[in-house]
Amino acid sequence: MSHLPIQVHRPLLTVENVNFSYPNQVKVITGFSDTFFGGKVTALTGPSGCGKSTLLYLLGLMHRQSSGEIFIDGRPTSSMSDSERAMYRANKFGFVFQDAVLDPSRSVLENVMETSLYRNESRSRSRLKAYELMEEFGVASRASHRPGQISGGQAQRIALCRALMADPAFIIADEPTGNLDPNTRNVVLDAFRSRADAGSCVIIATHDPDVVSRC
């Protein structure tokens, strides 16, 4: 089942006056407001330590804001239970980080299939979808390998496959090209653009001006 929005260029995620502080009371996000659209690739940019990653975690429902509101398709998220937020993350979001964050105890194929477990999808269907994505991104031959047996560029392509398993409405990427060679970087950025063209809302935190220029 696809979770992609039907209409491109409509607001999917709206942020109103969001603030966030860590328990030590250091305020990281102050009064942030913005609207993110389906069909768009948006870059969050700025120097290290300015709060880009924290803002991504808020937008991806991994952190709760201290105040303000984040709306997904018009629905406020501050009142959602932890289980509801987890459901949204599993069904509507795909996450890609600078470190691929693959489980070394599982095969590459099992890492790609991981998020499908949270959606109660059939294992056979998930396996087929995972293979199709891995074929698309040139890593199918590594399906039975463990993460420690593949290159960094291959690991990031596999993380991208995992993020796309649910056909997510939102793709949240934190410095996804920071450790990549030019060819793999282009593969990742082209994939983001393709998903946006299909209607997804793609948000990338980056300090790379070349990445910013493509957003």
Side-chain angles (χ1 to χ4, degrees):
M1 176 180 178
S2 173
H3 299 281
L4 287 174
I6 297 172
Q7 296 178 333
V8 177
H9 304 317
R10 68 183 178 90
L12 294 182
L13 194 155
T14 302
V15 186
E16 293 184 354
N17 196 32
V18 159
N19 299 279
F20 178 81
S21 299
Y22 285 107
N24 59 9
Q25 302 303 310
V26 173
K27 187 168 282 190
V28 182
I29 306 294
T30 304
F32 182 84
S33 298
D34 210 334
T35 300
F36 300 90
F37 293 85
K40 298 284 189 178
V41 181
T42 302
L44 303 176
T45 188
S48 296
C50 72
K52 298 188 300 295
S53 295
T54 299
L55 181 56
L56 283 187
Y57 298 152
L58 290 167
L59 299 179
L61 305 185
M62 291 182 282
H63 286 349
R64 286 184 183 269
Q65 63 269 28
S66 304
S67 61
E69 188 59 88
I70 298 173
F71 298 87
I72 295 180
D73 265 341
R75 181 183 177 186
T77 61
S78 60
S79 60
M80 287 182 179
S81 67
D82 289 343
S83 61
E84 285 179 300
R85 292 166 72 89
M87 179 194 69
Y88 264 73
R89 288 195 301 271
N91 288 281
K92 289 185 173 289
F93 286 86
F95 298 94
V96 183
F97 302 100
Q98 182 171 359
D99 180 348
V101 196
L102 302 178
D103 184 346
S105 68
R106 297 181 179 183
S107 70
V108 162
L109 177 62
E110 290 169 334
N111 269 276
V112 174
M113 294 173 59
E114 179 185 7
T115 61
S116 63
L117 299 176
Y118 308 128
R119 294 186 295 275
N120 296 317
E121 295 176 356
S122 78
R123 188 167 180 82
S124 59
R125 182 177 178 183
S126 296
R127 182 182 293 271
L128 178 61
K129 177 70 176 291
Y131 267 117
E132 289 174 347
L133 284 167
M134 292 169 69
E135 287 280 2
E136 179 180 351
F137 292 106
V139 289
S141 64
R142 302 299 186 190
S144 62
H145 288 63
R146 295 294 176 93
Q149 300 172 315
I150 59 177
S151 70
Q154 289 170 335
Q156 194 65 312
R157 293 183 191 214
I158 290 157
L160 180 60
C161 293
R162 179 180 60 191
L164 298 179
M165 278 289 287
D167 293 321
F170 304 93
I171 296 176
I172 304 292
D174 191 6
E175 301 286 2
T177 63
N179 297 326
L180 301 182
D181 62 88
N183 181 57
T184 303
R185 182 178 72 168
N186 288 333
V187 168
V188 171
L189 293 176
D190 288 347
F192 290 157
R193 172 57 60 189
S194 176
R195 303 310 293 185
D197 290 345
S200 290
C201 173
V202 182
I203 306 171
I204 305 173
T206 182
H207 63 268
D208 185 336
D210 291 334
V211 175
V212 173
S213 71
R214 295 184 59 173
C215 296

